[in-house]
Amino acid sequence: MIWFSDDITLAAINATSEGNMAGYLNIEYTELGDDYLAASMPVGPKTCQHQGLLSGGASVALAETVGSVAATLCVDRAQYYCLGLDINANHLRKVEAGSNVYAVAKPLHVGRTTHVWQIHITNEQGQLICASRLTVAVLAKKRAV
């Protein structure tokens, strides 16, 4: 298992979405495996572009959100925090409003100062609609004097 703590729950992870973009986009964390974090997001008015299709920006927001949360779960959150350095995304298939998409973040590298995460987003038929790679920095929190 790659997670820093073994008492992480989906309820606790989902609670972190309240009052921020993950909550606004209705991202829901659905599974925490030994080496992956999965989430879903509805495709609708908050995530579609003007033609009624999933916006590439919404796919990137989903990928970065799930990857960043996964990275954060790998560090001691009392001492460190994770920030995105770079993300890329290849949009491979369209998705129409009224469905859901599903993201799975898996690590390619979990180092002391950087992580690299692969995030695959699929449609309801399990077809790959977006392949993304996220690099995050692991930064030390400033200590109170």
Side-chain angles (χ1 to χ4, degrees), residues 8-57:
I8 302 165
T9 66
L10 286 175
I13 299 169
N14 278 306
T16 67
S17 298
E18 294 177 24
N20 58 46
M21 183 168 44
Y24 178 77
L25 296 178
N26 297 316
I27 294 171
E28 180 182 0
Y29 299 97
T30 58
E31 192 173 352
L32 182 67
D34 286 343
D35 70 343
Y36 67 91
L37 178 63
S40 65
M41 181 179 75
V43 180
K46 294 178 182 178
T47 58
C48 283
Q49 39 94 315
H50 68 282
Q51 295 175 335
L53 302 173
L54 177 64
S55 167

Short mmCIF file of all heavy atoms in Angstrom, two decimals, residues 8-57:
data_model
loop_
_atom_site.label_atom_id
_atom_site.label_comp_id
_atom_site.label_asym_id
_atom_site.label_seq_id
_atom_site.Cartn_x
_atom_site.Cartn_y
_atom_site.Cartn_z
N ILE A 8 -7.45 5.88 6.27
CA ILE A 8 -8.10 6.81 5.35
C ILE A 8 -9.44 6.20 4.91
O ILE A 8 -9.49 5.02 4.56
CB ILE A 8 -7.22 7.07 4.12
CG1 ILE A 8 -5.87 7.64 4.53
CG2 ILE A 8 -7.91 8.02 3.14
CD1 ILE A 8 -4.82 7.60 3.44
N THR A 9 -10.50 7.02 4.91
CA THR A 9 -11.81 6.54 4.46
C THR A 9 -12.29 7.38 3.28
O THR A 9 -11.91 8.55 3.15
CB THR A 9 -12.86 6.62 5.58
OG1 THR A 9 -13.09 8.01 5.90
CG2 THR A 9 -12.40 5.86 6.82
N LEU A 10 -13.15 6.81 2.47
CA LEU A 10 -13.75 7.57 1.37
C LEU A 10 -14.58 8.73 1.90
O LEU A 10 -14.59 9.81 1.30
CB LEU A 10 -14.60 6.66 0.50
CG LEU A 10 -13.84 5.71 -0.41
CD1 LEU A 10 -14.80 4.77 -1.13
CD2 LEU A 10 -12.97 6.46 -1.40
N ALA A 11 -15.25 8.53 3.02
CA ALA A 11 -16.06 9.62 3.60
C ALA A 11 -15.16 10.80 3.95
O ALA A 11 -15.52 11.96 3.68
CB ALA A 11 -16.80 9.13 4.84
N ALA A 12 -14.00 10.54 4.52
CA ALA A 12 -13.08 11.63 4.87
C ALA A 12 -12.54 12.31 3.62
O ALA A 12 -12.41 13.54 3.58
CB ALA A 12 -11.94 11.09 5.73
N ILE A 13 -12.22 11.53 2.59
CA ILE A 13 -11.72 12.11 1.34
C ILE A 13 -12.81 12.96 0.71
O ILE A 13 -12.57 14.08 0.27
CB ILE A 13 -11.22 11.02 0.38
CG1 ILE A 13 -10.07 10.24 1.00
CG2 ILE A 13 -10.79 11.65 -0.94
CD1 ILE A 13 -9.70 8.98 0.22
N ASN A 14 -14.04 12.44 0.64
CA ASN A 14 -15.14 13.21 0.04
C ASN A 14 -15.43 14.48 0.81
O ASN A 14 -15.82 15.48 0.22
CB ASN A 14 -16.39 12.33 -0.09
CG ASN A 14 -16.33 11.46 -1.32
OD1 ASN A 14 -16.13 11.95 -2.43
ND2 ASN A 14 -16.47 10.16 -1.14
N ALA A 15 -15.23 14.47 2.12
CA ALA A 15 -15.47 15.68 2.92
C ALA A 15 -14.53 16.82 2.53
O ALA A 15 -14.88 17.99 2.71
CB ALA A 15 -15.33 15.36 4.41
N THR A 16 -13.37 16.49 1.97
CA THR A 16 -12.43 17.55 1.56
C THR A 16 -12.93 18.33 0.35
O THR A 16 -12.37 19.37 0.01
CB THR A 16 -11.03 16.97 1.25
OG1 THR A 16 -11.11 16.15 0.08
CG2 THR A 16 -10.46 16.19 2.41
N SER A 17 -13.97 17.85 -0.32
CA SER A 17 -14.50 18.51 -1.52
C SER A 17 -15.45 19.66 -1.21
O SER A 17 -15.78 20.45 -2.09
CB SER A 17 -15.22 17.49 -2.40
OG SER A 17 -14.34 16.50 -2.84
N GLU A 18 -15.91 19.74 0.03
CA GLU A 18 -16.90 20.76 0.38
C GLU A 18 -16.30 22.15 0.27
O GLU A 18 -15.23 22.43 0.80
CB GLU A 18 -17.39 20.52 1.81
CG GLU A 18 -18.19 19.24 1.94
CD GLU A 18 -18.62 18.96 3.37
OE1 GLU A 18 -18.72 19.91 4.17
OE2 GLU A 18 -18.84 17.78 3.67
N GLY A 19 -16.99 23.02 -0.48
CA GLY A 19 -16.59 24.41 -0.57
C GLY A 19 -15.46 24.70 -1.54
O GLY A 19 -14.90 25.80 -1.50
N ASN A 20 -15.13 23.76 -2.41
CA ASN A 20 -14.09 24.05 -3.41
C ASN A 20 -14.50 23.49 -4.77
O ASN A 20 -15.63 23.04 -4.95
CB ASN A 20 -12.72 23.51 -2.94
CG ASN A 20 -12.74 22.02 -2.68
OD1 ASN A 20 -13.26 21.25 -3.47
ND2 ASN A 20 -12.16 21.61 -1.56
N MET A 21 -13.59 23.52 -5.74
CA MET A 21 -13.94 23.14 -7.10
C MET A 21 -14.42 21.69 -7.19
O MET A 21 -15.36 21.40 -7.93
CB MET A 21 -12.76 23.33 -8.06
CG MET A 21 -13.13 22.99 -9.49
SD MET A 21 -11.99 23.49 -10.78
CE MET A 21 -10.42 23.04 -10.13
N ALA A 22 -13.81 20.78 -6.44
CA ALA A 22 -14.25 19.39 -6.48
C ALA A 22 -15.72 19.27 -6.09
O ALA A 22 -16.48 18.53 -6.72
CB ALA A 22 -13.38 18.52 -5.57
N GLY A 23 -16.12 20.02 -5.09
CA GLY A 23 -17.52 20.02 -4.69
C GLY A 23 -18.41 20.65 -5.74
O GLY A 23 -19.50 20.14 -6.04
N TYR A 24 -17.95 21.76 -6.30
CA TYR A 24 -18.74 22.45 -7.34
C TYR A 24 -18.97 21.54 -8.55
O TYR A 24 -20.05 21.54 -9.14
CB TYR A 24 -18.04 23.74 -7.77
CG TYR A 24 -18.77 24.46 -8.86
CD1 TYR A 24 -19.92 25.20 -8.58
CD2 TYR A 24 -18.35 24.38 -10.18
CE1 TYR A 24 -20.62 25.85 -9.59
CE2 TYR A 24 -19.04 25.01 -11.19
CZ TYR A 24 -20.17 25.75 -10.89
OH TYR A 24 -20.86 26.37 -11.91
N LEU A 25 -17.94 20.77 -8.91
CA LEU A 25 -18.06 19.89 -10.07
C LEU A 25 -18.70 18.54 -9.73
O LEU A 25 -18.84 17.68 -10.60
CB LEU A 25 -16.68 19.65 -10.70
CG LEU A 25 -16.00 20.88 -11.29
CD1 LEU A 25 -14.61 20.52 -11.82
CD2 LEU A 25 -16.84 21.52 -12.37
N ASN A 26 -19.07 18.37 -8.46
CA ASN A 26 -19.70 17.13 -7.98
C ASN A 26 -18.81 15.90 -8.17
O ASN A 26 -19.29 14.81 -8.48
CB ASN A 26 -21.07 16.91 -8.64
CG ASN A 26 -22.05 18.00 -8.28
OD1 ASN A 26 -22.14 18.39 -7.13
ND2 ASN A 26 -22.76 18.51 -9.27
N ILE A 27 -17.51 16.09 -7.97
CA ILE A 27 -16.58 14.97 -8.01
C ILE A 27 -16.79 14.15 -6.75
O ILE A 27 -16.81 14.68 -5.65
CB ILE A 27 -15.13 15.46 -8.12
CG1 ILE A 27 -14.91 16.17 -9.47
CG2 ILE A 27 -14.14 14.31 -7.94
CD1 ILE A 27 -13.58 16.89 -9.59
N GLU A 28 -16.96 12.85 -6.93
CA GLU A 28 -17.15 11.94 -5.79
C GLU A 28 -16.08 10.85 -5.83
O GLU A 28 -15.94 10.16 -6.84
CB GLU A 28 -18.53 11.30 -5.83
CG GLU A 28 -18.77 10.35 -4.69
CD GLU A 28 -20.12 9.66 -4.75
OE1 GLU A 28 -20.89 9.89 -5.68
OE2 GLU A 28 -20.38 8.84 -3.85
N TYR A 29 -15.35 10.72 -4.75
CA TYR A 29 -14.35 9.66 -4.65
C TYR A 29 -15.09 8.36 -4.37
O TYR A 29 -15.92 8.29 -3.48
CB TYR A 29 -13.32 9.99 -3.56
CG TYR A 29 -12.62 11.28 -3.90
CD1 TYR A 29 -13.02 12.49 -3.35
CD2 TYR A 29 -11.58 11.29 -4.83
CE1 TYR A 29 -12.41 13.67 -3.71
CE2 TYR A 29 -10.97 12.48 -5.19
CZ TYR A 29 -11.38 13.66 -4.62
OH TYR A 29 -10.80 14.84 -4.99
N THR A 30 -14.78 7.34 -5.17
CA THR A 30 -15.57 6.11 -5.14
C THR A 30 -14.80 4.88 -4.69
O THR A 30 -15.41 3.89 -4.27
CB THR A 30 -16.16 5.83 -6.53
OG1 THR A 30 -15.09 5.75 -7.48
CG2 THR A 30 -17.14 6.93 -6.93
N GLU A 31 -13.47 4.91 -4.79
CA GLU A 31 -12.71 3.73 -4.42
C GLU A 31 -11.27 4.12 -4.09
O GLU A 31 -10.67 4.95 -4.76
CB GLU A 31 -12.71 2.73 -5.58
CG GLU A 31 -12.19 1.37 -5.22
CD GLU A 31 -12.36 0.36 -6.36
OE1 GLU A 31 -13.00 0.67 -7.38
OE2 GLU A 31 -11.81 -0.75 -6.22
N LEU A 32 -10.75 3.50 -3.03
CA LEU A 32 -9.37 3.67 -2.63
C LEU A 32 -8.74 2.29 -2.60
O LEU A 32 -9.04 1.48 -1.72
CB LEU A 32 -9.30 4.33 -1.24
CG LEU A 32 -7.91 4.62 -0.69
CD1 LEU A 32 -7.21 5.70 -1.52
CD2 LEU A 32 -8.01 5.06 0.76
N GLY A 33 -7.91 2.00 -3.60
CA GLY A 33 -7.24 0.71 -3.67
C GLY A 33 -5.86 0.79 -3.03
O GLY A 33 -5.47 1.82 -2.49
N ASP A 34 -5.12 -0.28 -3.10
CA ASP A 34 -3.77 -0.29 -2.53
C ASP A 34 -2.85 0.71 -3.19
O ASP A 34 -1.93 1.24 -2.56
CB ASP A 34 -3.15 -1.69 -2.63
CG ASP A 34 -3.75 -2.66 -1.64
OD1 ASP A 34 -4.39 -2.21 -0.66
OD2 ASP A 34 -3.56 -3.87 -1.83
N ASP A 35 -3.07 0.99 -4.48
CA ASP A 35 -2.19 1.91 -5.20
C ASP A 35 -2.95 2.81 -6.19
O ASP A 35 -2.40 3.25 -7.19
CB ASP A 35 -1.09 1.15 -5.93
CG ASP A 35 -1.62 0.34 -7.11
OD1 ASP A 35 -2.85 0.10 -7.17
OD2 ASP A 35 -0.80 -0.06 -7.95
N TYR A 36 -4.21 3.08 -5.92
CA TYR A 36 -4.97 3.97 -6.80
C TYR A 36 -6.12 4.63 -6.04
O TYR A 36 -6.57 4.15 -5.00
CB TYR A 36 -5.52 3.22 -8.02
CG TYR A 36 -6.59 2.20 -7.68
CD1 TYR A 36 -7.94 2.54 -7.69
CD2 TYR A 36 -6.25 0.89 -7.35
CE1 TYR A 36 -8.92 1.62 -7.36
CE2 TYR A 36 -7.22 -0.04 -7.03
CZ TYR A 36 -8.55 0.33 -7.04
OH TYR A 36 -9.51 -0.60 -6.72
N LEU A 37 -6.57 5.76 -6.60
CA LEU A 37 -7.74 6.48 -6.11
C LEU A 37 -8.67 6.67 -7.30
O LEU A 37 -8.22 7.09 -8.37
CB LEU A 37 -7.35 7.83 -5.50
CG LEU A 37 -8.50 8.71 -5.00
CD1 LEU A 37 -9.26 8.03 -3.86
CD2 LEU A 37 -7.97 10.06 -4.56
N ALA A 38 -9.94 6.34 -7.13
CA ALA A 38 -10.92 6.46 -8.21
C ALA A 38 -12.01 7.46 -7.81
O ALA A 38 -12.34 7.60 -6.62
CB ALA A 38 -11.55 5.10 -8.51
N ALA A 39 -12.56 8.13 -8.82
CA ALA A 39 -13.61 9.11 -8.59
C ALA A 39 -14.52 9.17 -9.81
O ALA A 39 -14.16 8.72 -10.90
CB ALA A 39 -13.01 10.50 -8.32
N SER A 40 -15.70 9.76 -9.61
CA SER A 40 -16.63 9.97 -10.71
C SER A 40 -17.02 11.44 -10.76
O SER A 40 -16.90 12.16 -9.77
CB SER A 40 -17.87 9.09 -10.56
OG SER A 40 -18.61 9.48 -9.42
N MET A 41 -17.49 11.86 -11.93
CA MET A 41 -17.97 13.24 -12.12
C MET A 41 -19.10 13.22 -13.14
O MET A 41 -18.96 12.62 -14.21
CB MET A 41 -16.82 14.13 -12.62
CG MET A 41 -17.20 15.59 -12.81
SD MET A 41 -15.80 16.60 -13.37
CE MET A 41 -15.68 16.10 -15.10
N PRO A 42 -20.22 13.87 -12.83
CA PRO A 42 -21.30 13.95 -13.81
C PRO A 42 -20.95 14.90 -14.96
O PRO A 42 -20.24 15.89 -14.77
CB PRO A 42 -22.49 14.46 -13.01
CG PRO A 42 -21.90 15.14 -11.82
CD PRO A 42 -20.57 14.50 -11.56
N VAL A 43 -21.46 14.57 -16.12
CA VAL A 43 -21.29 15.43 -17.29
C VAL A 43 -22.59 16.19 -17.47
O VAL A 43 -23.63 15.60 -17.76
CB VAL A 43 -20.95 14.60 -18.55
CG1 VAL A 43 -20.77 15.52 -19.75
CG2 VAL A 43 -19.70 13.77 -18.32
N GLY A 44 -22.55 17.49 -17.24
CA GLY A 44 -23.75 18.31 -17.30
C GLY A 44 -23.39 19.78 -17.41
O GLY A 44 -22.29 20.12 -17.84
N PRO A 45 -24.30 20.67 -17.03
CA PRO A 45 -24.10 22.10 -17.21
C PRO A 45 -22.80 22.65 -16.62
O PRO A 45 -22.19 23.55 -17.19
CB PRO A 45 -25.32 22.73 -16.52
CG PRO A 45 -26.36 21.67 -16.56
CD PRO A 45 -25.62 20.37 -16.45
N LYS A 46 -22.35 22.11 -15.49
CA LYS A 46 -21.12 22.62 -14.86
C LYS A 46 -19.86 22.14 -15.55
O LYS A 46 -18.79 22.72 -15.36
CB LYS A 46 -21.06 22.17 -13.39
CG LYS A 46 -22.14 22.76 -12.52
CD LYS A 46 -22.01 22.22 -11.10
CE LYS A 46 -23.10 22.74 -10.20
NZ LYS A 46 -23.01 22.18 -8.85
N THR A 47 -19.96 21.09 -16.36
CA THR A 47 -18.77 20.48 -16.94
C THR A 47 -18.76 20.45 -18.47
O THR A 47 -17.81 19.95 -19.07
CB THR A 47 -18.59 19.05 -16.42
OG1 THR A 47 -19.75 18.28 -16.73
CG2 THR A 47 -18.34 19.04 -14.91
N CYS A 48 -19.82 20.97 -19.11
CA CYS A 48 -19.91 20.93 -20.57
C CYS A 48 -19.53 22.26 -21.21
O CYS A 48 -19.69 23.32 -20.62
CB CYS A 48 -21.33 20.56 -21.00
SG CYS A 48 -21.69 18.82 -20.81
N GLN A 49 -19.06 22.16 -22.43
CA GLN A 49 -18.85 23.36 -23.24
C GLN A 49 -20.15 23.66 -24.00
O GLN A 49 -21.14 22.96 -23.82
CB GLN A 49 -17.61 23.20 -24.13
CG GLN A 49 -17.43 21.81 -24.73
CD GLN A 49 -18.03 21.65 -26.11
OE1 GLN A 49 -19.16 22.08 -26.37
NE2 GLN A 49 -17.29 21.01 -26.98
N HIS A 50 -20.12 24.68 -24.83
CA HIS A 50 -21.35 25.19 -25.46
C HIS A 50 -22.07 24.19 -26.37
O HIS A 50 -23.25 24.34 -26.64
CB HIS A 50 -21.05 26.48 -26.23
CG HIS A 50 -20.20 26.27 -27.43
ND1 HIS A 50 -18.83 26.09 -27.35
CD2 HIS A 50 -20.52 26.17 -28.74
CE1 HIS A 50 -18.34 25.92 -28.55
NE2 HIS A 50 -19.34 25.96 -29.41
N GLN A 51 -21.40 23.15 -26.83
CA GLN A 51 -22.04 22.17 -27.71
C GLN A 51 -22.65 21.00 -26.95
O GLN A 51 -23.10 20.03 -27.54
CB GLN A 51 -21.02 21.65 -28.74
CG GLN A 51 -20.54 22.72 -29.69
CD GLN A 51 -19.45 22.21 -30.61
OE1 GLN A 51 -18.74 21.26 -30.30
NE2 GLN A 51 -19.32 22.85 -31.76
N GLY A 52 -22.65 21.08 -25.62
CA GLY A 52 -23.23 20.01 -24.82
C GLY A 52 -22.32 18.81 -24.62
O GLY A 52 -22.79 17.73 -24.26
N LEU A 53 -21.02 19.00 -24.87
CA LEU A 53 -20.04 17.94 -24.69
C LEU A 53 -19.15 18.26 -23.50
O LEU A 53 -18.94 19.44 -23.17
CB LEU A 53 -19.18 17.79 -25.95
CG LEU A 53 -19.93 17.49 -27.25
CD1 LEU A 53 -18.98 17.54 -28.43
CD2 LEU A 53 -20.62 16.13 -27.16
N LEU A 54 -18.59 17.22 -22.88
CA LEU A 54 -17.67 17.42 -21.77
C LEU A 54 -16.53 18.33 -22.21
O LEU A 54 -15.89 18.10 -23.23
CB LEU A 54 -17.12 16.06 -21.32
CG LEU A 54 -16.08 16.08 -20.21
CD1 LEU A 54 -16.68 16.62 -18.91
CD2 LEU A 54 -15.51 14.68 -20.00
N SER A 55 -16.30 19.37 -21.44
CA SER A 55 -15.21 20.29 -21.71
C SER A 55 -13.88 19.63 -21.38
O SER A 55 -13.74 18.94 -20.36
CB SER A 55 -15.39 21.54 -20.85
OG SER A 55 -14.21 22.32 -20.85
N GLY A 56 -12.89 19.86 -22.24
CA GLY A 56 -11.55 19.36 -21.95
C GLY A 56 -11.02 19.93 -20.65
O GLY A 56 -10.30 19.26 -19.90
N GLY A 57 -11.39 21.17 -20.35
CA GLY A 57 -10.97 21.78 -19.09
C GLY A 57 -11.55 21.07 -17.89
O GLY A 57 -10.89 20.93 -16.85
#
